[in-house]
Amino acid sequence: MTAWGMVFDLKRCIGCNACAVACKQENTLPKGVFYTKTLSVTTGVYPNTKKTYVPTICNHCEDAPCQRVCPTGATYTRPDGIVMVDKDKCIGCGSCVVACPYDVRTMIEREHLEEGLFGEGNLTDFEKQGYGRFVVGTVTKCTFCHERVDAGKEPACVATCPTNARIFGDLDDPNSSASKLIVERGGKQPLPEKGTKPKVYYVD
Amino acid sequence: MIKEPIQQNSMRPGKWYNSTCKMCLHTCNTRIHVSELGVVDKIEGDPTSPSNRGKLCPKGNAAIMRHYDPNRFLQPQKRTNPEKGPGIDPKWVPISWEEALSTVAKELKQTMDDDPRKLVAASTNFQKFAHFAAGGIWNSNNFFSSVGNFCGGGYHVINGIIHSAFAGVNDVERCKLWINHGGGDGFSSHLHAAAQAGHVADARMDRGMKVVVVEPRMSIGAAKADQWIPIRPATDKQFALSLCHVLVYQGMVDYKAMKKDTNAVYLVGNDGYFVRNAEGSIYVWDAQANQAKLWNDETVGDFALEGEYEVEGVKCRPAFQQFKDILKDCSPEEMEKITTVPAATVVQLAKDMYKAAEVENNATIEIDGRTMPLRPVGYNYYRGAQGHKTSAQANHTYKLINMLLGTIDTPGGHIGSTLNDGGNVDNGHIEPGENGMIKTNPHQLHPAVEFSYPPNETTLLGYFPVGADAGHLNVETYLNKEKFGMDFQADTLLLCHANPLWNMPGKKEDWYQMLKEMRFTFAIDILPNETNEWADIILPCTDPVESWNMCMNEPPQTEGMCLRQPVVPPLGDLKSEEDILAELAERTGQLAQWNTMQNYIHGFVQKPDLMLKEDVKYGDKEIAERKGLLWNDKDLDWYIDKGHSVTPRRPDKWFRPWEGLRLHFYIEEFISSRDKLKQQMEDAQVPFRDEWEWDDYQGLPLPTLDPVHEVAKEFDLYAITFKDIQINFGESLTNPWIDDIVFKDPVHTALLLNTATAKAKGLEHGDFVQLESPYGGSIYGRIAASEEMHPDTIGVSNALSRMATQHTGAKHGGGRFNDLLPTDLRNTDAVTGQPETVARVKLTKLKSSPEPQQKNSVFGFGEEV
Amino acid sequence: MIATDAVFVGKKFNIGLRHQKIWGPDMAISFFLGELGAGVFLLSLYFGFMPGVISGLIVTTIGKTVGHLLHLGRPERAWRAITMLGSSWLSRGLLAIILYASCGGLYVLNHFYSILPESISDLCALIAAAAAVMIMLYQGLIMSHSASITLWASGLMPVIGLTYALFCGSALLLLAEQSNLIVIEANTLSTLQTLRVVLLAVVAAAVWGLLHAAHWGSTGGRESVKRLLKQDLAPWFFIFVVVLGFVVPAITTYLGLMTGPVLYLSVIAQISGFLCFRLLVLKAGNYDALMQFASPHRGF
């Protein structure tokens, strides 16, 4: 069975957030809404400072707490492991938002779709074309670019990453680049103690 | 709103077009998707490009929001508010193209007939190279742009002298030890950021290439590097000299390369000139025969690099010896006092570099049947390291590090990369010069013009024999007319794809005065900005998804042509830049001149069939087609199908194209041009000749401190500015997608101050402070205490520097960093025109923000949790 | 900082803690009203105080319905919330509310109009009582059904809900008796007063236990507790939750001041403590940081 997952190579990542912008393009995301974003963390004291860039995304967990708490079944997992939100079933209770340890889910508000990227209600043709996928008062999040994946392509963030720091693949296939990377370089899941069995791994 | 089943833009029914990115000055290859509704809804990298291999940086990914910016100029505009000033509404009124063009043409003609020098042009489009010379259409050599502030001063001049190229970068495919000094290649900026980030990442990961970064701030490169060497700002030359000291005094030099490939063996007299015989041939010292011989004497047994000699009564030494003598005072211990870099670090780095260079193994490599030395170490540098007063000397030093290790243009090492190969189809950018050396080709962007007094150029271009890009001198000569003996003052401003008010150093009030007094200003542009809000007429042009172009700009290890094609009709009543310039040229009787200029700059003279006819107006499509044909005889249809003709650079042009000639270890040209200029100034009794910085001209670099170090003690901090990959080499700060990621990064929303320094000054994270420079400039901002900064420095991101108000959505920080910088001759490199880019500042704590924090303020958000 | 430190970063692109923001005062008040009403209902049912039964039914049903419909992004789809009984405590809770309101309502109706056989009426009462227990538990179960927010991720959350509700329910009954709204005979009154004190001890212990577990549970949990005990939320926590919520009722009971204005004040005090607890526990919730990817070295 396919189990789509992702690996982030922290040695490669330069924190440029091309991924975040590619995703915004791909998904017509409103201002301030991100399905993926790359963060940084600095430790140490000058001059022995260390800075790491850390991409983050929905982990499409195998034991997804968002799905567990959802009262309507709007949050569900596809057979290939992608955790989706059915925008027609979501009632906007927000249980999934507090249940997700990674804070990767966003409630779409009216202002998101009405103010526009340039503010004051000036929606561009791009936004007019694309905002229809969102329903105000429902939750949205990364779908591992399910439409691209179904067509055999990589997610937009993976495709654009200038340093090839994002690797997408079938974690149930030991020969996929993702699986091999996890094994060869000791992939670690984010916040494993939360018990969500994330399908996103980090190598450094 | 249209509800559709398909949600992802790249999967919508529509069409993909091959094109090229224009979000910075480099030319990564793209594919653009237009939906069936005619909406441009996805831009991706082109996977067939060996340059960026399907990748795009965040700027390239944000291009759609440039196209759909509601503030775009959609029709020619005329100013109706006679009052001009920052933030003053021009009260644009739409007019017809006919009225707009005829008005502009009339004004240009008037200026040209009156005194063409009065036209100053800010036209800086690296992807439309010929447009740099737009002022020349109307006989003006006056540039009102400071493309060279941070990039183009000494850097391009020295690249032109050492490599006969425009830029330089390490050989990413073979380098094993990559040093970045004050530059972000492969991490955040410079040559084809998206492409190079991928190649450098692969080199680090697949080949274990090590990276060392030298700079005052923990930039992206420093964060990823194997070693970050923090350094006090504006001491880069001294650091590099101390490296040279270790290499030379510990014998860690590629002596073979020195003797064979450079003029380090040429004898230099105490007057700075090579020792020549009566015919002008240069002498060397044959150490074996113990006598002077001519450089091309085949009996020379061993070229001496060291020693003191006397030839034909002239006391002299090989240039190498002269450098060794200079380096005596440049030990790591001595230089540590200036740079704060521990001596041991310098010594270790020198050792690491020498070891990596494989000099002792005499490593070689065969590429395309040609055996060459393999020197897998490169000392790369840019922006911050090159941007100081003694820029020529500093840039020269960085090249010397490479030259000592034999890495110049050598596999694995530091390679010169040519600018815009459409222009010269790289028939070979190396020409033999005199006495066996290569012919130098300094400043290919702004080559020298004839000396004149009174000066014919507002930038004193005639006073820079190697060419210069000293846009900041515009305000010096304008405001100090008598001192410089100017017999004219600029009164017409041409703005094309430029925003000089944003980037010119010096107090903005000075620039405002100049702009206010312009008789006529017009702008060819797509969006409002700080500068074009002063225009009288706006000529709106097509944007990069609405127009044609053919160019590959300043690529590192690839070459070729990249097509840009329109994928949607223009959003308004727009014309291409080419159409506009051709129209204006024709209406002012200058079309033949413009076409002749284009024939040379684009290189059409190499294939006469392609040459533009004198009396015909050519638009963007026609020019693009010709440039493609010029490169590889392929027409536009071929390019529309393939998108580009990008290939790896030809090895014979990339590696050691000067084989058999000698590189300029010693730059005698600086001495000779200095003396010639001095004589010219003396003959013309130029009033500021005693103020001219004659000491800047050196055949070899000296450890002299830049004047930025010699200011009053109260200005105790060094202020630096910086960009990162989201905002470099272009204007992306009003793009909502870029703003959405930039202003979430605390590096870009505050003044960065070392934590310990902040504490010592009694400052807390979040305090508002004012920064003042000794030159009268000041900005304010909020402090962020950081472990990522050298203790003597305060970092001001470029994200804080916008001031545009009219319909731009620009977020304001506390003022322009460049306001803190000097513009006087004392702080300008007399050789290259490079202005000082570090400011000494004194810091005063403020009780609160001096300005109300409005919605568009950078400091207005980011701190709430 | 060393690798184990984490700070609050809000929307910044830094690794760090983030406050929970989606469940605000409206959720807190709905939870509070739902639990309080159910507590009053259950005790009233047990001790046979009809006004308590009725007011408990009304407060819970209206408080939850109005509060949650206002909070939902798509209130018109609220009916869908009952779909996932197999996995979601929210669905189960909604079922409980429906059963509570319907069976409880029938029971009340029957009490006045005798429309049901006694066995059915008793069954209704039983179901309503069970539903009331569920209502007092399920909100805490939702909050602790994921390890996400450490402050909430404890088995003590549902215990706190249940015991707080009964604690305040018993106090309200004492208040109703003092106001002559209901009649409680002396033995029962004594039982109720004892029950109130016992529950006070249990709630206080459970709240302490919650904070203790959070403090040692994760960095985010520790920061939550810090906010409650030492930082911006501390004044509210100490004045309302601790002093008014526990100390005042304990002392007044100890001193035997169980009548008149003192009783009124002590009951109002403890209820304000309960409400404040609900508000604070939502506000203090936060998400943990991915500090595991920060370099662990100490800076030398």
Side-chain angles (χ1 to χ4, degrees):
Chain A
M1 197 70 250
T2 312
W4 291 121
M6 217 179 261
V7 184
F8 293 140
D9 189 339
L10 298 181
K11 268 201 99 170
R12 284 180 176 263
C13 177
I14 53 173
C16 70
N17 272 297
C19 47
V21 184
C23 173
K24 276 182 169 288
Q25 274 200 83
E26 183 70 48
N27 296 299
T28 321
L29 295 183
K31 181 150 73 174
V33 178
F34 294 90
Y35 285 174
T36 186
K37 54 197 181 212
T38 298
L39 314 177
S40 69
V41 57
T42 305
T43 53
V45 174
Y46 175 90
N48 301 307
T49 319
K50 288 272 185 280
K51 186 167 185 176
T52 313
Y53 299 103
V54 182
T56 64
I57 198 172
C58 167
N59 295 294
H60 295 269
C61 304
E62 290 191 297
D63 187 359
C66 54
Q67 184 169 332
R68 185 165 62 240
V69 302
C70 177
T72 67
T75 297
Y76 65 97
T77 306
R78 295 181 0 159
D80 62 3
I82 296 183
V83 178
M84 302 283 292
V85 178
D86 185 340
K87 65 176 190 256
D88 295 322
K89 286 191 181 160
C90 176
I91 61 173
C93 70
S95 306
C96 58
V97 177
V98 297
C100 172
Y102 311 99
D103 192 22
V104 291
R105 302 173 69 103
T106 308
M107 177 85 74
I108 295 289
E109 318 267 2
R110 187 171 309 275
E111 295 74 50
H112 282 137
L113 303 184
E114 286 180 0
E115 207 186 286
L117 291 170
F118 288 93
E120 291 164 25
N122 255 327
L123 290 190
T124 59
D125 286 349
F126 174 86
E127 292 166 276
K128 288 180 191 153
Q129 176 187 262
Y131 277 168
R133 67 175 290 182
F134 298 113
V135 176
V136 173
T138 63
V139 164
T140 189
K141 69 167 191 73
C142 161
T143 66
F144 268 175
C145 275
H146 65 293
E147 287 175 353
R148 287 175 63 105
V149 168
D150 288 345
K153 297 171 125 191
E154 288 184 318
C157 58
V158 174
T160 207
C161 176
T163 57
N164 283 313
R166 301 169 80 102
I167 296 92
F168 181 77
D170 181 1
L171 299 188
D172 272 356
D173 173 8
N175 293 318
S176 70
S177 334
S179 297
K180 288 204 273 206
L181 206 52
I182 292 169
V183 169
E184 283 160 17
R185 292 194 32 210
K188 297 196 173 45
Q189 293 160 308
L191 302 179
E193 69 276 12
K194 300 290 184 183
T196 60
K197 303 198 189 140
K199 290 212 299 312
V200 172
Y201 289 74
Y202 292 74
V203 296
D204 62 12
Chain B
M1 306 251 192
I2 304 129
K3 276 197 201 299
E4 288 184 298
I6 302 258
Q7 299 174 3
Q8 300 210 281
N9 289 329
S10 68
M11 300 307 296
R12 285 180 201 279
K15 186 161 178 233
W16 286 97
Y17 295 84
N18 293 318
S19 196
T20 302
C21 188
K22 182 61 190 75
M23 287 300 280
C24 83
L25 59 83
H26 294 123
T27 42
C28 289
N29 302 98
T30 62
R31 321 163 55 221
I32 303 183
H33 184 261
V34 180
S35 71
E36 277 177 348
L37 300 174
V39 176
V40 185
D41 58 9
K42 188 81 200 292
I43 299 184
E44 302 179 356
D46 181 347
T48 70
S49 165
S51 173
N52 59 304
R53 305 181 296 184
K55 310 298 179 175
L56 277 187
C57 80
K59 301 185 298 295
N61 271 291
I64 292 175
M65 280 309 136
R66 174 64 86 240
H67 175 63
Y68 286 117
D69 190 325
N71 297 304
R72 276 188 64 188
F73 296 124
L74 298 178
Q75 206 176 331
Q77 306 284 330
K78 180 172 80 173
R79 172 184 215 90
T80 55
N81 183 354
E83 205 194 327
K84 286 187 185 179
I88 292 182
D89 186 354
K91 301 211 175 102
W92 302 120
V93 143
I95 55 176
S96 68
W97 272 104
E98 182 49 45
E99 183 186 338
L101 289 169
S102 64
T103 308
V104 174
K106 176 169 123 308
E107 299 289 343
L108 283 171
K109 185 118 184 24
Q110 179 182 330
T111 306
M112 190 174 60
D113 292 343
D114 166 22
D115 182 345
R117 301 174 303 170
K118 292 185 178 179
L119 171 65
V120 285
S123 180
T124 55
N125 189 337
F126 270 89
Q127 293 194 18
K128 289 181 190 278
F129 202 52
H131 297 189
F132 262 97
I137 302 175
W138 297 283
N139 301 322
S140 169
N141 273 327
N142 285 325
F143 300 99
F144 191 75
S145 55
S146 204
V147 178
N149 246 6
F150 287 95
C151 62
Y155 180 73
H156 294 309
V157 168
I158 295 295
N159 280 315
I161 288 176
I162 303 295
H163 305 276
S164 185
F166 190 71
V169 73
N170 297 341
D171 177 11
V172 75
E173 296 186 18
R174 291 159 203 89
C175 189
K176 292 214 182 102
L177 176 57
W178 176 300
I179 292 109
N180 262 351
H181 183 166
D185 284 272
F187 298 99
S188 58
S189 62
H190 204 207
L191 305 176
H192 289 248
Q196 201 68 335
H199 292 284
V200 166
D202 288 348
R204 289 171 56 230
M205 302 301 295
D206 302 338
R207 287 190 302 105
M209 181 177 83
K210 295 273 176 273
V211 174
V212 175
V213 171
V214 182
E215 57 173 292
R217 177 182 84 96
M218 176 166 261
S219 60
I220 295 175
K224 308 307 294 181
D226 297 281
Q227 183 184 13
W228 172 40
I229 300 180
I231 186 172
R232 177 182 279 155
T235 64
D236 309 283
K237 181 180 68 171
Q238 284 77 11
F239 173 85
L241 284 171
S242 68
L243 260 182
C244 290
H245 172 101
V246 179
L247 293 175
V248 167
Y249 279 90
Q250 295 203 19
M252 300 193 289
V253 173
D254 186 346
Y255 294 108
K256 210 160 125 195
M258 286 277 103
K259 292 179 182 182
K260 180 168 92 57
D261 298 328
T262 79
N263 67 8
V265 296
Y266 287 9
L267 295 172
V268 183
N270 292 339
D271 61 355
Y273 286 90
F274 290 129
V275 181
R276 291 175 161 82
N277 67 5
E279 285 78 47
S281 284
I282 297 177
Y283 281 106
V284 299
W285 192 266
D286 182 345
Q288 246 173 45
N290 203 23
Q291 65 173 114
K293 291 185 179 168
L294 292 179
W295 68 273
N296 53 356
D297 188 332
E298 278 164 17
T299 70
V300 173
D302 178 27
F303 291 91
L305 284 170
E306 303 188 32
E308 311 249 335
Y309 308 105
E310 199 172 304
V311 176
E312 292 192 12
V314 177
K315 282 201 169 45
C316 56
R317 12 164 210 185
F320 185 88
Q321 178 66 52
Q322 179 167 330
F323 193 41
K324 190 167 178 183
D325 293 337
I326 292 170
L327 290 175
K328 198 149 81 157
D329 300 325
C330 303
S331 70
E333 290 75 18
E334 266 310 300
M335 299 291 98
E336 176 176 355
K337 298 176 194 164
I338 299 168
T339 66
T340 74
V341 177
T345 305
V346 175
V347 173
Q348 189 58 50
L349 180 60
K351 288 187 173 147
D352 292 341
M353 288 180 68
Y354 183 64
K355 182 151 177 248
E358 310 238 6
V359 171
E360 299 204 335
N361 320 348
N362 213 1
T364 58
I365 185 172
E366 190 186 310
I367 297 175
D368 260 23
R370 193 175 153 213
T371 304
M372 294 175 280
L374 174 67
R375 295 282 174 270
V377 60
Y379 197 92
N380 193 47
Y381 66 95
Y382 190 44
R383 205 184 190 271
Q386 78 89 36
H388 306 298
K389 188 271 200 293
T390 48
S391 177
Q393 293 179 34
N395 284 274
H396 191 183
T397 315
Y398 312 134
K399 295 299 184 192
L400 288 172
I401 296 171
N402 286 301
M403 221 181 274
L404 290 169
L405 293 170
T407 69
I408 295 280
D409 297 327
T410 296
H414 181 74
I415 324 274
S417 78
T418 51
L419 172 61
N420 181 317
D421 286 311
N424 57 23
V425 195
D426 206 355
N427 297 310
H429 54 284
I430 299 291
E431 286 176 54
E434 50 129 355
N435 279 292
M437 300 179 278
I438 66 168
K439 181 159 183 282
T440 64
N441 193 1
H443 227 303
Q444 297 160 25
L445 202 58
H446 291 301
V449 297
E450 253 190 67
F451 170 84
S452 59
Y453 183 78
N456 285 329
E457 294 83 34
T458 55
T459 59
L460 303 179
L461 184 56
Y463 291 68
F464 295 93
V466 293
D469 195 5
H472 64 290
L473 292 179
N474 271 295
V475 82
E476 283 294 304
T477 57
Y478 190 85
L479 296 180
N480 302 294
K481 201 176 162 185
E482 279 75 45
K483 166 175 161 176
F484 290 96
M486 308 299 288
D487 64 353
F488 75 98
Q489 271 198 314
D491 72 1
T492 313
L493 176 57
L494 181 165
L495 298 165
C496 182
H497 182 275
N499 190 359
L501 272 191
W502 186 28
N503 82 340
M504 292 290 218
K507 296 206 300 300
K508 52 191 182 295
E509 291 76 20
D510 291 344
W511 293 103
Y512 293 160
Q513 184 182 336
M514 193 172 171
L515 286 183
K516 227 176 237 175
E517 295 170 9
M518 288 287 147
R519 189 194 87 237
F520 182 73
T521 301
F522 75 100
I524 302 169
D525 214 330
I526 64 171
L527 279 168
N529 61 36
E530 283 88 335
T531 316
N532 61 27
E533 80 175 350
W534 294 72
D536 297 297
I537 299 265
I538 300 284
L539 301 174
C541 61
T542 45
D543 79 4
V545 301
E546 298 164 342
S547 57
W548 296 89
N549 199 36
M550 183 75 72
C551 167
M552 183 163 212
N553 181 53
E554 216 182 12
Q557 56 270 355
T558 53
E559 59 179 1
M561 281 292 125
C562 308
L563 171 75
R564 221 173 64 208
Q565 59 172 315
V567 304
V568 282
L571 277 180
D573 185 8
L574 313 168
K575 290 187 189 297
S576 68
E577 282 183 41
E578 287 80 353
D579 282 332
I580 294 170
L581 288 174
E583 264 295 322
L584 291 173
E586 187 189 48
R587 285 166 187 250
T588 51
Q590 299 297 105
L591 185 57
Q593 178 159 313
W594 175 221
N595 286 347
T596 306
M597 286 165 65
Q598 290 191 82
N599 283 334
Y600 276 97
I601 301 173
H602 288 309
F604 299 147
V605 291
Q606 297 168 65
K607 286 190 183 169
D609 286 347
L610 301 175
M611 283 173 66
L612 309 180
K613 295 192 178 32
E614 283 199 341
D615 52 353
V616 178
K617 287 183 292 198
Y618 295 87
D620 54 338
K621 187 172 182 185
E622 287 95 40
I623 303 283
E625 178 155 36
R626 280 165 173 73
K627 292 191 74 177
L629 287 165
L630 178 67
W631 179 258
N632 63 348
D633 296 315
K634 298 289 187 220
D635 65 11
L636 217 48
D637 287 332
W638 186 92
Y639 274 97
I640 288 170
D641 178 41
K642 300 265 183 289
H644 63 86
S645 52
V646 175
T647 57
R649 287 208 190 238
R650 289 155 283 167
D652 57 332
K653 308 251 179 295
W654 184 235
F655 296 119
R656 305 174 66 91
W658 39 259
E659 193 78 70
L661 298 171
R662 289 178 182 274
L663 300 171
H664 293 263
F665 177 92
Y666 185 88
I667 305 179
E668 188 197 46
E669 183 171 344
F670 287 164
I671 307 295
S672 56
S673 56
R674 173 199 69 192
D675 290 342
K676 181 169 172 205
L677 181 65
K678 216 171 195 178
Q679 191 60 52
Q680 285 169 319
M681 285 221 226
E682 190 62 42
D683 291 345
Q685 290 284 291
V686 171
F688 53 92
R689 64 190 182 283
D690 292 329
E691 203 187 314
W692 199 254
E693 298 277 310
W694 299 109
D695 288 341
D696 291 347
Y697 301 84
Q698 298 292 337
L700 284 166
L702 300 177
T704 43
L705 284 177
D706 291 322
V708 69
H709 298 286
E710 295 152 1
V711 298
K713 264 200 156 65
E714 57 187 305
F715 301 98
D716 58 334
L717 285 174
Y718 292 83
I720 62 166
T721 186
F722 60 89
K723 297 184 183 183
D724 266 330
I725 191 169
Q726 306 89 340
I727 57 175
N728 70 333
F729 268 144
E731 194 291 290
S732 58
L733 280 167
T734 54
N735 185 308
W737 283 340
I738 295 294
D739 284 359
D740 223 355
I741 60 173
V742 166
F743 294 113
K744 302 234 174 22
D745 186 346
V747 151
H748 295 297
T749 58
L751 306 178
L752 308 178
L753 190 61
N754 178 285
T755 307
T757 306
K759 197 162 171 207
K761 288 184 176 294
L763 291 169
E764 276 184 23
H765 183 98
D767 280 348
F768 273 97
V769 298
Q770 179 124 2
L771 298 182
E772 290 164 80
S773 79
Y775 322 108
S778 101
I779 65 173
Y780 75 90
R782 185 182 246 146
I783 291 282
S786 166
E787 300 295 346
E788 300 171 28
M789 301 299 290
H790 186 280
D792 296 344
T793 190
I794 184 160
V796 185
S797 166
N798 184 258
L800 301 172
S801 67
R802 295 304 303 274
M803 300 191 313
T805 52
Q806 296 303 315
H807 314 295
T808 63
K811 299 225 180 304
H812 295 176
R816 305 181 327 147
F817 170 86
N818 291 1
D819 260 51
L820 301 170
L821 297 173
T823 54
D824 56 358
L825 290 181
R826 177 79 186 102
N827 284 284
T828 303
D829 184 12
V831 183
T832 64
Q834 173 66 43
E836 178 58 60
T837 60
V838 162
R840 292 296 288 280
V841 292
K842 83 170 169 213
L843 189 156
T844 321
K845 181 169 166 178
L846 302 171
K847 280 211 191 75
S848 60
S849 164
E851 284 173 348
Q853 293 306 302
Q854 290 139 356
K855 200 165 149 231
N856 71 335
S857 163
V858 175
F859 306 122
F861 59 61
E863 286 302 314
E864 88 275 341
V865 293
Chain C
M1 62 168 156
I2 58 175
T4 51
D5 292 347
V7 293
F8 284 99
V9 294
K11 295 201 175 95
K12 291 194 274 230
F13 279 5
N14 286 147
I15 300 271
L17 303 168
R18 287 184 160 73
H19 294 302
Q20 174 285 120
K21 288 201 167 149
I22 199 167
W23 280 1
D26 55 346
M27 279 302 260
I29 291 169
S30 303
F31 282 11
F32 161 78
L33 290 173
E35 284 163 350
L36 187 64
V40 168
F41 172 86
L42 191 63
L43 289 169
S44 303
L45 192 64
Y46 181 80
F47 290 112
F49 304 130
M50 203 37 91
V53 168
I54 294 169
S55 48
L57 277 172
I58 291 173
V59 166
T60 296
T61 309
I62 293 185
K64 292 283 286 178
T65 307
V66 172
H68 288 325
L69 284 179
L70 283 176
H71 166 83
L72 284 180
R74 301 238 55 112
E76 77 277 8
R77 299 175 182 175
W79 60 270
R80 287 190 178 273
I82 210 171
T83 313
M84 304 299 286
L85 289 169
S87 56
S88 161
W89 282 112
L90 203 156
S91 290
R92 296 164 187 167
L94 179 56
L95 180 62
I97 292 171
I98 290 170
L99 289 173
Y100 172 85
S102 52
C103 294
L106 274 175
Y107 174 79
V108 167
L109 226 53
N110 186 58
H111 174 91
F112 289 109
Y113 300 113
S114 289
I115 48 176
L116 296 168
E118 202 185 317
S119 54
I120 302 292
S121 165
D122 284 346
L123 186 64
C124 281
L126 202 61
I127 292 173
V133 172
M134 176 57 123
I135 288 169
M136 290 185 279
L137 288 171
Y138 96 94
Q139 288 167 163
L141 285 167
I142 292 176
M143 289 169 77
S144 58
H145 206 189
S146 160
S148 169
I149 292 173
T150 305
L151 180 67
W152 305 353
S154 161
L156 288 171
M157 278 307 275
V159 169
I160 286 172
L162 177 69
T163 50
Y164 240 135
L166 292 172
F167 171 48
C168 289
S170 61
L172 274 173
L173 287 184
L174 294 175
L175 194 65
E177 192 272 342
Q178 274 293 295
S179 325
N180 295 318
L181 291 172
I182 52 177
V183 174
I184 307 180
E185 54 123 13
N187 273 350
T188 312
L189 195 64
S190 178
T191 308
L192 266 173
Q193 286 167 347
T194 308
L195 185 66
R196 181 189 181 210
V197 173
V198 167
L199 285 165
L200 186 158
V202 174
V203 175
V207 169
W208 177 87
L210 187 78
L211 298 185
H212 179 84
H215 177 84
W216 296 108
S218 78
T219 307
R222 185 165 310 147
E223 292 298 317
S224 292
V225 173
K226 236 201 251 177
R227 284 190 77 194
L228 290 169
L229 299 184
K230 291 193 188 152
Q231 291 170 349
D232 56 322
L233 302 178
W236 298 96
F237 184 79
F238 281 110
I239 292 172
F240 283 89
V241 177
V242 176
V243 171
L244 292 177
F246 299 137
V247 173
V248 164
I251 287 185
T252 53
T253 305
Y254 177 73
L255 294 176
L257 303 170
M258 301 302 294
T259 59
V262 179
L263 182 72
Y264 268 92
L265 286 169
S266 81
V267 169
I268 289 170
Q270 81 175 71
I271 290 177
S272 71
F274 178 26
L275 174 59
C276 193
F277 172 82
R278 276 266 159 262
L279 288 163
L280 290 179
V281 83
L282 285 191
K283 204 159 173 63
N286 59 60
Y287 302 95
D288 272 294
L290 295 182
M291 286 306 289
Q292 68 196 94
F293 300 123
S295 169
H297 87 129
R298 291 183 61 88
F300 47 78

